[in-house]
Amino acid sequence: MFAFGPLSFAAPLALIGLLALPALWFLLRATPPAPRRAIFPPLRLLLGAPDDAETPQHAPWWLILFRLLIAALIIIALARPVWTPPSVENETRPALIVLDNGWASASAWTDLQREAGRLIDEADRDGRPVALATTAETGQAHPTLRLSDADTARSILETARPQAWPTRRDNLADRIDTARENGEIDGVLAVTWLSDGLASPEDARLARSLSQLGDLTILEPDSGRAALALAPPETSPDGFTVEVRRAPTDLPRTVGITAIGSDGRALARRDVTIEADAGSATANIALPLDLRNRIASLRLDGSTSAAAVHLLGDSWQRPRVGLIELTNDEGQPLLSDLHYIESALTNRAELVRGHLDDLLAAEPAILVMTDAARSDDARIQDFVNQGGVLIRFAGPRLAARGDELLPVDLRQGGRLFGGALNWEEPQSLADFPSGSPFSGLPVDRSATVDRQVLAQPGSATPDKVWARLEDGTPLVTAERRARGWIVLFHVTASPEWSDLPLTGLFPRMMQRLMGLAQGGAVSAPANGSWVLDRALDAQGQLANAPASARPINAAAFDTAQPGPETPPGLYRLGPASAALNVIDTDTRIAALSRDLPGAVFAGLDGPRPIRFTAGLLAAALVLLALDVLVALLLAGRLANLRIGGLAAAVLLGLAALPGTPQAGAQETQGDDSFAMEAALALRFAYVRTGDAALDRRSEAGLTGLGREITRRSAMEPDAPMGVDIDTDPLLFFPMIYWPVTEDAQPLAPETAERVSAYLQSGGLIVFDTQDADVAMLRAGAPHPGLINVLESIDVPPLAQIPPDHVLTRAFYLLQEFPGRYSGSPVWVEANPNGASRDGTSGVIIGAHDWASAWARGERGEALAPVEGGERQREMATRFGVNIAMYALTGNYKADQVHVPDILERLGQ
């Protein structure tokens, strides 16, 4: 890059062309204008006539200067001039740029990266060395921190990406101190810290290291781009609650929370508003247990960061547990037993307490039976045989007489401290065996047992014993019975026989047993390591595990923190899955402190560069048109052109310059130019909705689809055009993509007539509600905006795309039609043969957000995530190609079925 103060040139070698302007001057002077033609009169009329006519030997000097100006404008435009207002006047110090790239920077990453690029360009113009450093670990060695040229800093910036874990600002402070000691950074620097705006424990240390190098300026995103985070959800009696956290700001903010199922569909959604100066807000989401257990993740709508997603593993599963109460004819209810069971299972299961009739009607996954409850009801045996889990607790009644619903045979009488089969002292628990669901739980040695029911010798085989006392006698036994389980605690559920219900071990044991139920959490093996299955990237999307990921020991998983070697995501250990998230219950989000050593704070919105290439080329094009007019005039080709006409042509050319006000009388000409632009090339169109973000997504989608069509077929569509459905002509476009929002209004009668005429003339409209991810929340109700749009258009009856429809084979063979989402039906005309469009459907209606799946950037990168990954994106692109072919060829593919008959007749 070459610069003159704030004016720089991205391609400075093109300026060498200015040296050719003097040679061009002499070349133009040596080329005289064309001679004038005149009718030769009779010779006698010329006798004595003075001959004072002169023919110039070269072009007029003003015309030469005019043409040199055109050439200079083209040369300067090719040099790509950029005007970048300096943010620091007369800065001469080397620059050090610190860029936060943790999870909190993802939402403002584009602005942070652009500002870093501007600071590098500014240092490049001034000829100052510059260094760039990031604050988050990447799992790879950091490049050496040293002052170098701007190109080196640009290469580091281009490879920098936001990470899905917090920053480590203390590590960067160590690198800076090391670089100073090694002499790689010395002198007084201009230091800029592009911060994500969030505080961390290492802020003061990093600010101290930076301020020792020179003046420190900290730039932060504004409140609208501040990071949001989801805390772990907590269950409630009718659903769950979830907290949204942020650094407190002076602006309120409303955000939507969506619960996503394992199949990618939205199960629930709730808006929550964080008030001004508040750092959090809580949403209560009511959801039945069956739907609650299907939730795989919670997401903040519109937020792109790893903290805006909270993944849920097996521990989120909550089975329905029935606690059997005693009836009046069975004596006094033993409330104490059920009290300890309820306390152990609170927030770990949905508890239903009642008589057996009521419990079975509630369809529980687990039944809990205390000693005094009846066990001779045949329905309990049927419950276990059909896959239910029965958890029983011993007591005096069971010690006196056993029954059939036991995992082992019991000895009558039991064993107690000070009894016939007595201990000299109460027994403690032994370590859990490796095959037990309790394996890996730390044993509480303070828990002692005073009395227990004993198993008959030989019946308590090792595979049935899940917990023992130190003397080897069983404490918990279990047996698989048909499709279900029977589990027996050989002590009471109250502290009457043991201290176990009073310890923290008892709730953890009960939680492990919940994994036996259908719909309960799967118990993970105690030994081994959790292996990352799907990683959560910085944008909050599930991706393949990075190369830096390492297994996490099972004993250390609960204390693991997100980082390069332990990225957030879904981990697996045997059949069990667990989630590691960026935000946990104890994570607090606060704004960066304003009293950091030597720091001056400023906003991120700095001056933006102004590029002149397009304006200069447009001006050169207009001047070239004027030069043609002048050349024709001087050559005598426009002899009949009046001065007024020439003046009008000049004014028209000047009116085309950028920034020239347009008169109201030119509206008709604008309509003609729109029609000419649409008619002279193959273009697809999209309906402008008034939502700038949605319109940009539609344009990017059709642009990306057009590139893929050009690459894969002989069709070469030009850039798409946006249309105003109320005023712009539609007949020039073979296909129109219409994103329909929920607040779409009914069409005016004139607009509806124009749309119907477009369909009847053979046009194709793709209506896309783009809401397949949340359509379930309408409980089968139609899309309100789509109803408003279609009710005034002459649309025939619709049906889902049949397997033999032309759309399934217009170019690719397809049986699914996904976009960004999938799974919702796609509709076409039920009987296109009854229309006047030669057997083709004029509408395609779906909710898969095809434009987002098609959208790609200038370098071919995908602009939006797709729920099914790259394979689904490819299938969406193929469906887009089929739509384009269908719009242009109609039922051509359907006609191919007649080829055998035609060939047979020709053979006859």
Side-chain angles (χ1 to χ4, degrees):
M1 180 174 287
F2 184 70
F4 296 100
L7 179 63
S8 59
F9 296 89
L13 293 180
L15 296 175
I16 298 176
L18 295 175
L19 300 178
L21 292 182
L24 186 60
W25 168 275
F26 289 106
L27 179 63
L28 293 176
R29 284 181 59 87
T31 305
R36 297 181 58 187
R37 294 184 178 184
I39 300 176
F40 185 72
L43 184 60
R44 60 185 178 84
L45 295 179
L46 297 179
L47 295 177
D51 186 9
D52 55 358
E54 297 181 356
T55 300
Q57 295 181 354
H58 48 74
W61 65 269
W62 55 268
L63 181 58
I64 297 175
L65 288 178
F66 184 75
R67 291 172 175 172
L68 291 180
L69 174 62
I70 297 175
L73 288 176
I74 295 176
I75 292 172
I76 295 174
L78 293 178
R80 294 158 56 191
V82 179
W83 179 275
T84 306
S87 59
V88 181
E89 297 182 0
N90 301 323
E91 183 60 74
T92 59
R93 298 170 296 178
L96 173 61
I97 304 170
V98 174
L99 177 62
D100 275 341
N101 63 328
W103 68 263
S105 64
S107 58
W109 181 251
T110 301
D111 298 319
L112 292 170
Q113 195 174 37
R114 181 175 60 232
E115 184 66 17
R118 188 189 68 81
L119 293 173
I120 294 173
D121 292 343
E122 189 174 287
D124 191 11
R125 278 197 317 273
D126 299 337
R128 297 180 286 131
V130 60
L132 176 69
T134 55
T135 56
E137 299 298 317
T138 63
Q140 301 176 353
H142 289 284
T144 302
L145 183 57
R146 61 163 59 95
L147 293 172
S148 184
D149 57 86
D151 290 337
T152 301
R154 288 193 189 96
S155 65
I156 297 176
L157 179 61
E158 290 174 357
T159 58
R161 295 290 183 272
Q163 304 300 324
W165 42 82
T167 60
R168 288 298 305 270
R169 293 166 179 166
D170 54 338
N171 290 350
L172 178 57
D174 293 338
R175 293 172 54 205
I176 292 174
D177 295 341
T178 302
R180 290 183 62 190
E181 294 174 359
N182 297 336
E184 293 165 338
I185 294 180
D186 57 1
V188 179
L189 309 181
V191 184
T192 304
W193 179 0
L194 300 176
S195 170
D196 56 27
L198 298 188
S200 70
E202 311 89 10
D203 296 342
R205 183 184 173 192
L206 178 58
R208 191 176 301 108
S209 297
L210 293 176
S211 60
Q212 290 173 356
L213 299 174
D215 296 336
L216 171 60
T217 302
I218 300 179
L219 303 182
E220 295 179 313
D222 58 31
S223 301
R225 290 171 290 185
L228 298 176
L230 271 176
E234 298 181 359
T235 58
S236 61
D238 60 345
F240 63 94
T241 62
V242 61
E243 182 184 29
V244 182
R245 298 174 182 174
R246 69 166 182 179
T249 67
D250 56 355
L251 295 177
R253 186 169 179 180
T254 300
V255 65
I257 305 173
T258 302
I260 307 295
S262 56
D263 58 355
R265 295 180 179 272
L267 301 178
R269 188 182 184 279
R270 186 75 71 247
D271 287 335
V272 60
T273 299
I274 307 177
E275 301 297 339
D277 300 323
S280 65
T282 300
N284 297 305
I285 301 180
L287 206 62
L289 178 66
D290 295 337
L291 286 179
R292 193 191 323 164
N293 284 339
R294 291 171 53 190
I295 298 176
S297 65
L298 301 174
R299 295 177 179 268
L300 289 176
D301 299 342
S303 295
T304 55
S305 75
V309 177
H310 192 89
L311 302 175
L312 301 173
D314 290 338
S315 61
W316 173 250
Q317 305 299 315
R318 299 291 191 271
R320 182 176 289 114
V321 178
L323 306 180
I324 301 177
E325 287 185 334
L326 302 180
T327 56
N328 292 335
D329 60 350
E330 291 177 324
Q332 296 295 325
L334 300 179
L335 299 179
S336 59
D337 283 31
L338 294 181
H339 166 74
Y340 288 100
I341 296 172
E342 284 181 318
S343 300
L345 293 178
T346 300
N347 296 328
R348 294 176 173 86
E350 182 179 277
L351 301 179
V352 181
R353 186 168 173 171
H355 303 306
L356 183 60
D357 294 338
D358 299 330
L359 296 182
L360 293 178
E363 298 182 353
I366 298 175
L367 284 178
V368 178
M369 179 187 298
T370 57
D371 179 59
R374 291 178 53 188
S375 60
D376 57 353
D377 196 314
R379 292 177 297 174
I380 299 179
Q381 181 70 52
D382 293 339
F383 167 79
V384 174
N385 292 338
Q386 294 174 8
V389 178
L390 176 63
I391 302 177
R392 301 190 62 178
F393 289 86
R397 180 179 296 185
L398 194 60
R401 181 173 60 88
D403 54 51
E404 296 296 327
L405 291 177
L406 294 172
V408 294
D409 297 331
L410 300 181
R411 297 180 60 178
Q412 294 184 3
R415 183 180 186 184
L416 68 159
F417 176 65
L421 297 174
N422 65 330
W423 296 300
E424 295 182 357
E425 60 183 16
Q427 293 290 304
S428 299
L429 276 67
D431 293 334
F432 296 112
S434 59
S436 167
F438 310 135
S439 177
L441 291 179
V443 175
D444 189 344
R445 302 299 179 184
S446 64
T448 59
V449 176
D450 298 325
R451 183 173 180 177
Q452 69 177 138
V453 293
L454 291 175
Q456 289 284 3
S459 66
T461 57
D463 60 307
K464 293 184 178 182
V465 178
W466 286 357
R468 295 180 183 272
L469 298 179
E470 287 185 334
D471 65 354
T473 55
L475 176 65
V476 180
T477 55
E479 182 185 35
R480 184 81 174 180
R481 190 74 60 88
R483 296 168 54 192
W485 285 92
I486 297 178
V487 181
L488 173 64
F489 281 78
H490 289 236
V491 294
T492 60
S494 66
E496 182 180 355
W497 283 18
S498 74
D499 297 332
L500 180 62
L502 301 176
T503 66
L505 177 61
F506 184 60
R508 303 183 68 180
M509 294 175 68
M510 294 297 294
Q511 183 179 2
R512 289 287 182 94
L513 294 179
M514 297 299 101
L516 300 176
Q518 298 178 4
V522 179
S523 297
N527 301 317
S529 298
W530 290 92
V531 178
L532 182 61
D533 182 38
R534 298 282 286 173
L536 196 65
D537 64 16
Q539 283 72 40
Q541 301 297 321
L542 288 175
N544 295 328
S548 62
R550 298 292 182 268
I552 304 176
N553 187 274
F557 188 83
D558 290 340
T559 58
Q561 296 297 319
E565 295 185 353
T566 55
L570 289 175
Y571 288 76
R572 293 199 176 275
L573 176 57
S577 68
L580 180 62
N581 291 285
V582 178
I583 305 298
D584 58 28
T585 305
D586 298 328
T587 303
R588 292 292 175 262
I589 299 178
L592 196 64
S593 176
R594 288 301 187 269
D595 58 356
L596 296 178
V600 176
F601 286 82
L604 188 59
D605 293 324
R608 296 288 179 260
I610 304 173
R611 305 183 185 277
F612 295 104
T613 300
L616 291 175
L617 288 177
L621 182 63
V622 173
L623 295 181
L624 278 173
L626 294 179
D627 178 72
V628 171
L629 292 176
V630 174
L632 292 175
L633 181 62
L634 293 179
R637 302 292 178 87
L638 300 179
N640 296 326
L641 183 66
R642 299 177 180 273
I643 299 298
L646 179 60
V650 172
L651 291 177
L652 182 60
L654 293 177
L657 287 173
T660 305
Q662 303 294 316
Q666 294 178 341
E667 292 181 359
T668 303
Q669 181 181 358
D671 294 339
D672 293 341
S673 63
F674 179 91
M676 292 295 293
E677 184 179 2
L680 294 180
L682 172 61
R683 299 179 187 272
F684 302 132
Y686 62 92
V687 174
R688 292 195 296 265
T689 63
D691 185 332
L694 181 57
D695 293 344
R696 286 195 301 268
R697 189 161 66 243
S698 299
E699 181 179 14
L702 291 183
T703 300
L705 178 60
R707 291 174 184 166
E708 290 299 317
I709 292 174
T710 301
R711 186 174 66 88
R712 303 179 185 210
S713 70
M715 191 192 312
E716 297 183 359
D718 213 323
M721 297 178 63
V723 297
D724 186 333
I725 200 66
D726 294 318
T727 59
D728 289 335
L730 308 178
L731 298 178
F732 303 107
F733 306 103
M735 180 187 77
I736 297 177
Y737 179 79
W738 193 330
V740 183
T741 59
E742 288 193 353
D743 58 353
Q745 300 300 313
L747 302 181
E750 298 81 3
T751 302
E753 184 177 352
R754 295 172 67 252
V755 174
S756 298
Y758 169 78
L759 294 175
Q760 291 299 323
S761 64
L764 174 65
I765 299 181
V766 180
F767 293 98
D768 191 353
T769 58
Q770 302 182 345
D771 66 339
D773 59 330
V774 296
M776 181 183 294
L777 303 182
R778 292 198 300 270
H783 188 280
L786 186 63
I787 293 299
N788 289 338
V789 171
L790 295 183
E791 65 181 359
S792 53
I793 303 176
D794 183 15
V795 177
L798 302 174
Q800 297 186 32
I801 297 180
D804 59 344
H805 196 274
V806 179
L807 272 171
T808 65
R809 60 182 188 275
F811 192 83
Y812 289 102
L813 297 178
L814 301 174
Q815 286 301 323
E816 56 181 3
F817 319 102
R820 184 178 186 182
Y821 311 111
S822 64
S824 292
V826 180
W827 304 84
V828 294
E829 292 184 21
N831 183 21
N833 293 323
S836 61
R837 291 180 293 274
D838 195 19
T840 61
S841 175
V843 297
I844 299 174
I845 302 176
H848 289 162
D849 192 3
W850 289 297
S852 295
W854 298 336
R856 292 187 178 273
E858 293 295 333
R859 294 174 293 182
E861 73 279 9
L863 298 182
V866 172
E867 66 176 9
E870 291 306 312
R871 182 186 182 280
Q872 181 169 318
R873 190 187 306 278
E874 172 62 21
M875 299 304 294
T877 300
R878 293 185 180 187
F879 181 53
V881 175
N882 277 19
I883 292 176
M885 293 296 178
Y886 183 68
L888 292 174
T889 64
N891 63 354
Y892 163 72
K893 286 287 185 178
D895 288 340
Q896 288 185 342
V897 299
H898 303 296
V899 170
D901 296 333
I902 296 174
L903 293 178
E904 182 179 357
R905 293 183 181 180
L906 291 176
Q908 293 178 354

